[in-house]
């Protein structure tokens, strides 16, 4: 069962890390993304996109850290689990913040 869990975490977490880094470095979402994938984001700006990319990186790192925690000593495994939880919570916070940023009105919209 341990190899299956490790394989699953690499198969899911690894691509998430790659996709997140791609989005962060590029500063925009890929053109092939469907509209339903962006439903929480109202105004797509480079800052919002990079924050969303960091969210994906945090989620991928969290998944990989959980998988690795089963193969190391108890102390290091415990640290990895704490790091995974922190990465997940930080990623969730970045997601909420970036969504809020994309939905808040600009100064011109507030004055109108």
């Amino acid at each position: 069962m341990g190899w299956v869990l490790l394989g699953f975490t690499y198969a899911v977490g690894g691509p998430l890390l790659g996709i997140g880094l791609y989005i962060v470095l590029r500063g925009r979402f890929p053109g092939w993304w469907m509209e339903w994938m962006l439903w929480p984001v109202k105004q797509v700006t480079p800052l919002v996109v990079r924050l969303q990319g960091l969210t994906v990186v945090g989620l991928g790192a969290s998944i990989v850290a959980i998988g690795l925690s089963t193969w190391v000593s108890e102390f290091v495994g415990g640290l990895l689990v704490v790091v995974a939880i922190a990465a997940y919570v930080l990623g969730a916070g970045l997601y909420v913040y970036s969504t809020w940023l994309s939905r808040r009105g600009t100064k011109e919209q507030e004055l109108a």
Side-chain angles (χ1 to χ4, degrees), residues 59-79:
L59 181 61
S62 169
I63 292 171
V64 169
I66 290 290
L68 287 177
S69 69
T70 61
W71 294 97
V72 294
S73 68
E74 290 180 11
F75 178 73
V76 175
L79 285 176

Side-chain angles (χ1 to χ4, degrees), residues 26-100:
R26 192 160 183 229
R28 59 187 171 146
F29 291 118
W32 52 264
W33 277 27
M34 300 297 181
E35 189 67 32
W36 65 267
M37 294 174 153
L38 301 174
W39 69 267
V41 178
K42 189 172 182 181
Q43 268 184 317
V44 179
T45 64
L47 175 64
V48 169
V49 172
R50 287 192 169 97
L51 288 173
Q52 295 267 326
L54 287 174
T55 299
V56 176
V57 168
L59 181 61
S62 169
I63 292 171
V64 169
I66 290 290
L68 287 177
S69 69
T70 61
W71 294 97
V72 294
S73 68
E74 290 180 11
F75 178 73
V76 175
L79 285 176
L80 280 174
V81 169
V82 170
V83 167
I85 292 170
Y88 183 78
V89 170
L90 183 64
L94 283 174
Y95 180 77
V96 169
Y97 179 65
S98 66
T99 304
W100 174 79

Side-chain angles (χ1 to χ4, degrees), residues 17-32:
L17 284 170
I19 291 168
L21 287 173
Y22 175 78
I23 291 172
V24 168
L25 293 175
R26 192 160 183 229
R28 59 187 171 146
F29 291 118
W32 52 264

